[in-house]
Amino acid sequence: MGFLMAAVYDRVMARAERARLSAWRRELLADLAGEVLEVGAGTGANAALYPPAVTRVTLSEPDAAMRRRMEDKVAQLGQGDRLRVDGSSLTRLGF
């Protein structure tokens, strides 16, 4: 997506997230459990929404600029043992 998109994505999406998108995300993730691979995790909008039954999440994002923003979010959440950011090719992730 590139540097510019990564720089503005969260701000552009903030209104939609508050209006309903965040609730939809939460609903979609609610029944997950065990280990999860999120492909195209972007800036990590889902990172804080995974339910406690999810023991580990690998957040895969090929775009370096988006991944850097996601890494910042994951660091702020303090769940480094549960949330793992990876920019590897999907064939190298081991799923």
Side-chain angles (χ1 to χ4, degrees), residues 1-77:
M1 288 226 177
F3 175 76
L4 181 58
M5 179 56 96
V8 300
Y9 182 82
D10 290 331
R11 282 181 281 179
V12 168
M13 295 300 294
R15 187 173 180 188
E17 290 285 350
R18 285 190 307 273
R20 183 69 182 141
L21 191 54
S22 183
W24 284 341
R25 291 177 190 276
R26 205 174 294 280
E27 289 172 25
L28 289 169
L29 301 173
D31 294 331
L32 295 178
E35 292 188 26
V36 173
L37 169 62
E38 183 176 339
V39 177
T43 63
N46 292 333
L49 305 178
Y50 284 98
V54 173
T55 57
R56 182 175 178 147
V57 181
T58 299
L59 300 157
S60 174
E61 176 53 54
D63 184 88
M66 297 290 267
R67 192 171 56 250
R68 278 192 295 278
R69 297 221 175 240
M70 179 175 28
E71 288 169 340
D72 291 343
K73 282 183 189 173
V74 168
Q76 290 174 3
L77 291 172

